[in-house]
Amino acid sequence: RIVEVNLETRLAGVELGPGHRVEAWTYDGGLPGPLIRVNVGDRLIVHYRNSLPEASTIHWHGIRVPIEMDGVPGISQPPVAQGESFTYDFIVPDAGLYWYHPHVMSAAQVGFGVYGPLLVEDPSEKVGTTDQLVIVLSDIGIHEHGQLEDPESGGTTGMAFGREGNFVLTNGHLGTVGQILARSGAPQRWRILNAAKSRYFSLDLEGQEFLKIGADGGIQEYPVATTSIVLGPAERADVIVRPTGEPGSTLPVRSYVFNRGYGSVEFRPAEELLFTITFTGDPAYSGPPLPEIRRSITPYSPAGATPIRMALTLDQLLDGTFQYGINNRPFWEAPPFEAKLGETQVWTLVNETAWSHPFHLHGFFFLETDEHGTPLRPLIWKDTLDVPFKETRYIIVNFPDRPGEWMIHCHILDHVDGGLMGVVNVGLPPSEKGKHRHLAHPHDFKY
Ligand code: C2O
Ligand code: CU
């Protein structure tokens, strides 16, 4: 099956809630951009046109695309200048909730509203729910007079912290606007994406349970019940909720402030309302229990895996400015990491900084492991993993196909500007390597 869509990046007035209009940067005039829905195995063709005042691209976050479709300017494609077009065309190989966003000036463009969800469904997946919601969480920075916050505010100190917007949005609306109706106890499937460029969300249902059934790369090995769902930027969660309440009563869905490092919890509201559930007058749901939701995942084996160490670092330069890097080298100075086709690697991600970093690998899923490279249970395919401040995380990854220069970076997009990005050369002969280097300096180009 072929799904063909047009997408245009352009400026548009959007209403976040009563009295809050802003001239945002959008896909197709919406914030977020349109929900693209396909089935696993479909071919997706996107005719993209850029009508922003600057160049852009589309990166298909989490999708195992061919390198030419990965949307990284200067590496996988030329940037798409204002008024130009580009056709993305690829097969969608994995079910799950993904998303699309620019990879040019991404801190600015994503912060201004340029992102949208891509839902890849597997019709054979049976999770026992009839209602499904796609929930895009984000934020946007707006001044008193209604104009968008300067994406460079606070200089490299603002960059080092990661700039959060002052308005929290659920599917592009303020929390006071969002309302859903629910029958008490009826199971709903929520597909949640954090599309904010710096903000973490810690979801709470007043202590009611979330059954987490999946994450970035689809359904996980087995479900886990929890009362809070934490999502760093770019992470996704697939959860089943069965909210209960008296007929006519309401239940707020909130996000609690999350400690992502130095200064991230002080002087800010303890909680933000995301939306409200209102219970209908129907008698409480008494349908069948949920089916067993399991997926058999064959883990990679750490035997013979190549160990790679990546320290996530922050240095203060002689002029007082801050620079992030991997192993103390910012993107524009760092040699690429190397992987052979078919190679398995265990990466040790050491966060030496005072802020957490949601670490993202393009084009391939990985599994989180213990320090010996043994995958943690339940097995969950991830493309973005939070590495908390001053802590270490381990992942195992394999590169079976699709040679190319694949990006790794923190998904706090200000940190990308600050240098926290790198490249993995997967299966490339020496003559093919490093094509990006001439574009890599921040004074030439921003990702
Ligand atoms: Cu959403 Cu380079 O990533
Ligand atoms: Cu970061």
Side-chain angles (χ1 to χ4, degrees):
R1 199 175 72 131
I2 298 177
V3 176
E4 203 162 354
V5 298
N6 297 316
L7 265 189
E8 181 186 23
T9 35
R10 59 182 166 88
L11 273 62
V14 294
E15 181 154 310
L16 311 175
H20 289 281
R21 261 188 93 73
V22 65
E23 188 72 4
W25 292 28
T26 70
Y27 285 112
D28 284 4
L31 193 171
L35 171 63
I36 302 176
R37 272 182 109 127
V38 294
N39 282 341
V40 63
D42 286 354
R43 174 174 168 199
L44 177 61
I45 302 174
V46 178
H47 302 283
Y48 168 55
R49 182 182 163 80
N50 181 18
S51 304
L52 295 176
E54 63 191 29
S56 194
T57 57
I58 307 181
H59 169 60
W60 305 93
H61 183 116
I63 304 280
R64 295 191 292 154
V65 291
I67 189 74
E68 303 76 34
M69 296 292 127
D70 198 40
V72 179
I75 295 186
S76 53
Q77 69 167 99
V80 183
Q82 178 179 30
E84 288 185 355
S85 298
F86 188 90
T87 299
Y88 294 93
D89 182 345
F90 52 87
I91 306 279
V92 179
D94 304 285
L97 176 64
Y98 302 92
W99 62 303
Y100 55 97
H101 64 77
H103 229 290
V104 176
M105 305 290 289
S106 58
Q109 294 188 7
V110 172
F112 290 167
V114 194
Y115 45 81
L118 167 57
L119 182 62
V120 184
E121 293 187 285
D122 177 349
S124 73
E125 229 168 63
K126 299 272 180 287
V127 302
T129 58
T130 44
D131 281 350
Q132 170 167 265
L133 304 181
V134 174
I135 299 174
V136 180
L137 304 176
S138 64
D139 63 12
I140 191 165
I142 304 172
H143 285 298
E144 269 168 73
H145 302 298
Q147 75 277 40
L148 293 165
E149 180 77 42
D150 174 8
E152 312 265 294
S153 67
T156 68
T157 308
M159 178 285 294
F161 182 71
R163 301 170 182 97
E164 295 184 15
N166 54 342
F167 288 95
V168 170
L169 304 177
T170 303
N171 290 345
H173 289 106
L174 303 177
T176 45
V177 176
Q179 282 277 353
I180 65 167
L181 280 179
R183 179 176 181 179
S184 180
Q188 306 190 359
R189 185 178 187 181
W190 290 0
R191 319 293 299 261
I192 313 167
L193 156 68
N194 180 356
K197 66 175 180 142
S198 297
R199 182 184 294 268
Y200 284 59
F201 289 88
S202 174
L203 273 74
D204 171 276
L205 264 181
E206 297 218 309
Q208 296 195 31
E209 183 180 287
F210 298 92
L211 187 69
K212 180 170 172 277
I213 62 170
D216 303 354
I219 300 282
Q220 62 194 43
E221 188 183 21
Y222 50 85
V224 174
T226 171
T227 53
S228 81
I229 296 283
V230 174
L231 288 176
E235 288 188 298
R236 284 88 72 206
D238 190 349
V239 302
I240 294 178
V241 295
R242 284 158 289 188
T244 55
E246 292 301 314
S249 69
T250 61
L251 176 66
V253 182
R254 294 193 178 98
S255 174
Y256 280 88
V257 67
F258 182 77
N259 185 1
R260 62 174 185 87
Y262 181 76
S264 66
V265 295
E266 293 86 6
F267 310 114
R268 55 194 59 221
E271 62 194 43
E272 299 274 359
L273 178 65
L274 299 177
F275 61 97
T276 305
I277 299 172
T278 301
F279 293 101
T280 63
D282 301 312
Y285 175 86
S286 60
L290 294 175
E292 245 203 291
I293 304 164
R294 295 184 75 96
R295 175 174 175 196
S296 106
I297 291 175
T298 309
Y300 299 136
S301 162
T306 312
I308 306 275
R309 184 179 193 274
M310 296 182 186
L312 313 179
T313 54
L314 179 65
D315 290 297
Q316 190 164 23
L317 306 182
L318 291 174
D319 64 2
T321 60
F322 291 101
Q323 188 176 76
Y324 276 107
I326 299 178
N327 299 335
N328 298 94
R329 293 162 95 170
F331 176 56
W332 46 92
E333 286 170 9
F337 292 88
E338 302 285 342
K340 297 187 206 56
L341 270 193
E343 184 174 356
T344 300
Q345 301 188 336
V346 173
W347 294 0
T348 298
L349 306 169
V350 184
N351 185 348
E352 295 182 354
T353 78
W355 290 283
S356 300
H357 302 294
F359 184 88
H360 173 46
L361 165 66
H362 282 209
F364 301 86
F365 294 117
F366 53 79
L367 298 167
E368 186 176 2
T369 75
D370 66 13
E371 70 269 36
H372 308 296
T374 304
L376 304 183
R377 310 291 298 275
L379 301 167
I380 306 172
W381 291 121
K382 293 285 288 172
D383 56 55
T384 307
L385 179 73
D386 183 42
V387 185
F389 57 95
K390 297 288 180 197
E391 291 191 24
T392 298
R393 291 290 182 270
Y394 307 86
I395 63 176
I396 190 164
V397 59
N398 176 275
F399 301 96
D401 50 19
R402 291 168 302 126
E405 293 170 281
W406 296 95
M407 313 308 288
I408 47 176
H409 62 87
C410 175
H411 223 287
I412 290 182
L413 297 169
D414 294 315
H415 295 176
V416 173
D417 281 359
L420 218 174
M421 180 157 76
V423 170
V424 187
N425 278 334
V426 175
L428 291 180
S431 58
E432 292 280 305
K433 287 176 186 169
K435 282 186 289 196
H436 61 282
R437 298 301 293 279
H438 63 291
L439 284 174
H441 197 275
H443 301 301
D444 303 327
F445 212 81
K446 276 196 176 173
Y447 292 84

